[in-house]
Amino acid sequence: APPAIIAPSILSADFGALGKACSDTIGHGADWLHVDIMDGHFVPNMTFGAPVVTMIRPHVDKPSESFGKGTFDCHMMIAEPKKWVKEFKKAGCDLYCFHYEAAINSTAADEPSATSDKKTSPKELIKYIHDQGLRAGIALKPGTPVDVLYDILDSKTQDEVPDMVLIMTVEPGFGGQKFMPDMMPKVEALRKRYPELNIEVDGGLSEKTIDVAADAGANVIVAGSAVFGAKDPSEVIAKLREAVEK
Ligand code: DX5
Ligand code: ZN
């Protein structure tokens, strides 16, 4: 399996001092920062948009290699994922992870390559993200079966294949929710089919739940409240990493 990547979610950071929270978190040993973007439409909560990403970017060195330390992993919980790709690229995002459910439901009026039925195909969107010089991720809500991804991951056109899959282990929208172990069969199925795939899990990950996720085959670990609520975030980050690497 690919290497362990620990990606604290800054959703649980102090938004009044976000720049420092970001640089501190990298100092505590995090590989990436997981940046939760919510539009109050795809999910029943709002966070922030590209201007805030632009302001926090200088607090964390840009990764020197693709997927390296300092990667901004932007989890786009938004109804119109295609619309914001260029802005997030400009803001300093490295990995643009959109929701499968948003792509297939998008009305796409503003989207240049919209097909006649006004839907953006996930493959088209992945290619578009790659064309902008970003890495692409595709996320699944708990209710979406994993097999919708097989046709996408099996594409013979390399530009249409995502660099990461995100299996949500809570309903997206809020930090601090309970981990859903019944999502693990999705992770297991993906790991079995795609030994080299980056598989991210997000929601309710902590020292208590990490073993289940790691055993299923997840290698990219998001943790919000567990890291930012800890007395010693570096210890939590180290323990999460150890569990994936063991
Ligand atoms: C939830 C977000 C998560 C959230 C995780 O919609 O996508 O990234 O911050 O928070 P915890 O780790 O507290 O469940
Ligand atoms: Zn997230």
Side-chain angles (χ1 to χ4, degrees):
I5 294 170
I6 310 302
S9 163
I10 60 171
L11 183 61
S12 294
D14 175 2
F15 279 14
L18 199 50
K20 184 174 185 311
C22 291
S23 52
D24 284 354
T25 304
I26 293 294
H28 288 137
D31 299 292
W32 298 359
L33 291 182
H34 182 84
V35 182
D36 286 307
I37 308 297
M38 304 186 190
D39 67 353
H41 187 63
F42 181 73
V43 286
N45 194 10
M46 294 170 80
T47 53
F48 50 78
V52 171
V53 177
T54 302
M55 297 302 275
I56 58 177
R57 184 71 264 190
H59 292 262
V60 174
D61 289 340
K62 263 292 220 187
S64 56
E65 53 181 336
S66 179
F67 273 28
K69 195 171 173 85
T71 290
F72 273 21
D73 164 26
C74 293
H75 178 194
M76 308 305 292
M77 288 165 275
I78 63 175
E80 292 184 86
K82 192 163 189 179
K83 189 170 173 180
W84 301 99
V85 175
K86 287 185 175 168
E87 269 203 65
F88 275 77
K89 165 70 183 175
K90 238 191 273 161
C93 163
D94 303 293
L95 166 59
Y96 190 96
C97 185
F98 67 90
H99 267 270
Y100 170 84
E101 302 84 2
I104 61 165
N105 291 318
S106 172
T107 47
D110 58 327
E111 296 169 5
S113 59
T115 50
S116 53
D117 66 358
K118 297 274 195 250
K119 288 183 180 172
T120 315
S121 88
K123 284 185 193 173
E124 253 185 320
L125 182 49
I126 291 162
K127 182 176 185 310
Y128 180 75
I129 293 166
H130 284 150
D131 286 348
Q132 308 307 316
L134 288 163
R135 291 297 184 135
I138 185 163
L140 293 189
K141 288 169 76 168
T144 307
V146 71
D147 54 6
V148 301
L149 295 178
Y150 296 161
D151 172 62
I152 302 167
L153 288 163
D154 292 341
S155 172
K156 294 278 174 285
T157 309
Q158 209 41 47
D159 284 354
E160 295 178 348
V161 178
D163 304 289
M164 184 184 79
V165 168
L166 164 52
I167 300 297
M168 288 303 299
T169 45
V170 297
E171 284 298 339
F174 301 91
Q177 302 183 79
K178 203 169 164 288
F179 177 76
M180 299 166 73
D182 45 329
M183 294 301 114
M184 292 307 98
K186 292 198 218 179
V187 175
E188 284 160 11
L190 281 174
R191 178 55 71 220
K192 205 170 158 206
R193 254 179 100 111
Y194 308 101
E196 295 307 319
L197 179 64
N198 282 297
I199 305 175
E200 181 175 60
V201 284
D202 179 13
L205 272 302
S206 70
E207 287 167 58
K208 287 203 180 88
T209 54
I210 185 63
D211 287 329
V212 173
D215 290 348
N219 70 297
V220 185
I221 310 300
V222 177
S225 48
V227 168
F228 287 94
K231 263 208 201 89
D232 183 358
S234 55
E235 191 192 325
V236 176
I237 290 168
K239 283 195 170 149
L240 294 173
R241 186 187 308 286
E242 240 170 73
V244 179
E245 283 173 353
K246 77 162 195 293

